[in-house]
């Protein structure tokens, strides 16, 4: 049976998300989500695979490993800068056209990265390639949520982000292997081709939607007046530091701390990806039943997993097990994305894109704080402890968000609208 439901903004303004442009069959919805997931697969592969190829990049350009690591920061900075700017200026465009344009920029940036003549041009190209990242995920999440009933939103967003998890399971290890066997440039050429494939699939499957009403920049910026928007972004920016701290230094953790061979690095990353898929499938269903409880309890479990990771990182079997569990905790990503949709009112595009700015702030913070711990002689095995401290801070931000929600509800009951 065809349907084109409205997805209600259940926590804030009461305004609906835009409905699907035409009545869509379940099969057509699945094809659109698949097309969007191909894009997230390409983005995930390009973002994470480079972490295992930093020594190869350093050797190619004649720089140190530490200097080569700046390309990761450059990409993350591109995400942080690009997400709000593109969201503000692109909010009035058709979402189908905007998605195709964003993926076109991503594809071009990766293809150009494969042919960068020197290290500084390569670093600049990684910054440019990061610009469409956050806006793409934000708009893709809005499109997915608009095509399903309200009690299926997180699952729809999770399916779009499933491409990111599959990238961690399959794309990243395969790309890392390809980069080691051939050259790291082949990674970016392959990711660029994936971006082109995503553009084609979106053009084929996603109907042409109505042009968004012209909105000024200040209209989109209205989301930043909402305390719950900032709190949700704060949970992401602090809570995800641990995951990025661990996987920025996963290669030396596997080889130097656990004493395994370098060939185990892709396997460890694949286990992490398998955990992400499991968490996405089952956790998204839990989030659709009780969003805030899922965010809270997953964060608590995530803290315990990070502590367990560092406590047992010297034991190969335990390292493998905790990498899988760490991946399972990624379900908090789609849950927070859905929460942000609920609290952002009319400024849906900007808010959805800002979530990925927050994730990449966590990326930069995780790598930075992890580096400080290493320089302080705590060792690579301490990355889980670093992340757990930050996740406790994220849990505190979540508690403040819950408290404000409760106070708002009590105030509404005390002064009901006439």
């Amino acid at each position: 049976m065809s349907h084109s439901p409205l997805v209600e903004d259940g926590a804030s303004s009461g305004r609906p998300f835009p409905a699907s442009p035409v009545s869509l069959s379940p099969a057509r919805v699945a094809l659109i989500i698949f097309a969007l997931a191909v894009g997230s697969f390409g983005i995930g592969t390009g973002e994470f695979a480079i972490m295992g190829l930093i020594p190869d990049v350093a050797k190619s350009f004649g720089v140190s490993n530490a200097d080569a690591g700046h390309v990761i920061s450059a990409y993350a900075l591109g995400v942080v800068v690009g997400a709000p700017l593109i969201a503000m200026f692109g909010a009035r465009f058709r979402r189908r056209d905007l998605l195709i344009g964003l993926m076109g920029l991503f594809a071009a940036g990766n293809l150009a990265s494969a042919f960068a003549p020197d290290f500084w041009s390569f670093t600049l190209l990684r910054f440019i390639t990061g610009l469409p990242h956050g806006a793409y995920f934000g708009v893709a999440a809005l499109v997915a949520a608009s095509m399903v009933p309200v009690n299926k939103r997180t699952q729809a967003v999770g399916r779009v982000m499933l491409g990111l998890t599959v990238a961690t399971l399959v794309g990243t290890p395969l790309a890392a292997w390809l980069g080691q066997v051939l050259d790291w440039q082949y990674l970016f050429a392959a990711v660029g081709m994936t971006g082109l494939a995503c553009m084609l699939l979106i053009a084929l499957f996603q109907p042409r939607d109505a042009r968004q009403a012209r909105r000024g920049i200040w209209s989109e910026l209205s989301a930043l007046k909402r305390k719950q928007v900032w709190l949700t972004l704060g949970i992401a920016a602090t809570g995800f530091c641990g995951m990025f701290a661990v996987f920025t230094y996963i290669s030396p953790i596997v080889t130097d701390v656990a004493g395994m061979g370098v060939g185990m690095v892709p396997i460890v990353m694949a286990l992490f990806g398998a955990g992400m898929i499991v968490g996405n499938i089952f956790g998204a269903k839990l989030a659709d039943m009780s969003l805030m409880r899922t965010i809270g309890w997953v964060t608590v479990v995530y803290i315990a997993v990070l502590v367990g990771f560092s406590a047992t990182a010297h034991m190969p079997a335990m390292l493998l097990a905790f990498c899988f569990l760490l991946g399972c905790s990624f379900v908090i990503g789609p849950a927070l994305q859905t929460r942000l949709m609920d609290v952002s009112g009319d400024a849906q595009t900007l808010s959805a894109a800002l979530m990925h700015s927050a994730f990449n702030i966590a990326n930069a913070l995780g790598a930075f704080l992890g580096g400080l711990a290493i320089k302080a002689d705590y060792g690579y095995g301490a990355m889980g402890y670093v992340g757990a401290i930050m996740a406790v801070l994220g849990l505190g931000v979540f508690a403040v968000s819950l408290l404000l929600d409760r106070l708002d509800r009590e105030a509404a009951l005390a002064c009901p609208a006439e």
Side-chain angles (χ1 to χ4, degrees), residues 211-261:
R211 186 182 297 275
Q212 303 297 309
R214 179 176 288 275
R215 298 170 57 83
I217 292 176
W218 294 111
S219 296
E220 280 296 320
L221 288 174
S222 66
L224 303 183
K225 298 178 181 178
R226 295 171 175 259
K227 294 188 290 289
Q228 290 291 2
V229 168
W230 285 107
L231 290 169
T232 306
L233 293 173
I235 296 168
T238 54
F240 272 87
C241 286
M243 187 176 294
F244 288 111
V246 167
F247 280 93
T248 297
Y249 301 100
I250 191 61
S251 184
I253 290 173
V254 170
T255 57
D256 297 354
V257 179
M260 294 187 282

Side-chain angles (χ1 to χ4, degrees), residues 50 90 112 143 156-157 164 196 204 237 251 273 324 349 357 367 387 405:
I50 187 63
V143 169
V157 173
L164 182 64
L196 294 177
L204 285 175
S251 184
F324 174 80
T349 305
S357 291
D405 263 354

Side-chain angles (χ1 to χ4, degrees), residues 92-233:
R92 66 186 180 90
F93 293 102
R94 292 183 175 91
R95 285 176 176 167
R96 175 181 181 270
D97 296 343
L98 184 57
L99 286 169
I100 291 174
L102 291 170
M103 192 47 58
L105 177 58
F106 175 78
N110 277 290
L111 291 171
S113 295
F115 298 98
D118 55 58
F119 177 70
W120 294 112
S121 62
F122 178 65
T123 303
L124 176 61
L125 284 167
R126 296 318 297 156
F127 170 80
I128 293 171
T129 306
L131 292 174
H133 175 130
Y136 174 83
F137 272 115
V139 176
L142 291 173
V143 169
S146 73
M147 297 186 297
V148 298
V150 65
N151 63 338
K152 301 286 186 181
R153 289 177 307 159
T154 309
Q155 293 174 63
V157 173
R159 290 188 186 106
V160 171
M161 297 183 73
L162 193 61
L164 182 64
T165 64
V166 172
T168 311
L169 175 63
V170 179
T172 300
L174 182 62
W177 174 82
L178 183 68
Q180 292 170 357
V181 173
L182 298 174
D183 284 310
W184 58 266
Q185 289 92 340
Y186 284 92
L187 158 68
F188 294 107
V191 171
M193 295 302 292
T194 303
L196 294 177
C198 176
M199 293 174 65
L200 177 61
L201 291 171
I202 292 173
L204 285 175
F205 298 137
Q206 187 173 336
R208 190 176 178 84
D209 55 310
R211 186 182 297 275
Q212 303 297 309
R214 179 176 288 275
R215 298 170 57 83
I217 292 176
W218 294 111
S219 296
E220 280 296 320
L221 288 174
S222 66
L224 303 183
K225 298 178 181 178
R226 295 171 175 259
K227 294 188 290 289
Q228 290 291 2
V229 168
W230 285 107
L231 290 169
T232 306
L233 293 173

Side-chain angles (χ1 to χ4, degrees), residues 1 3 15 19 159 188 191 196 199 208 264 298 307 322 346 395:
M1 179 178 178
H3 62 274
R15 297 176 175 86
R159 290 188 186 106
F188 294 107
V191 171
L196 294 177
M199 293 174 65
R208 190 176 178 84
M264 286 297 295
V298 168
V307 171
F322 275 108
D346 288 330
L395 189 61

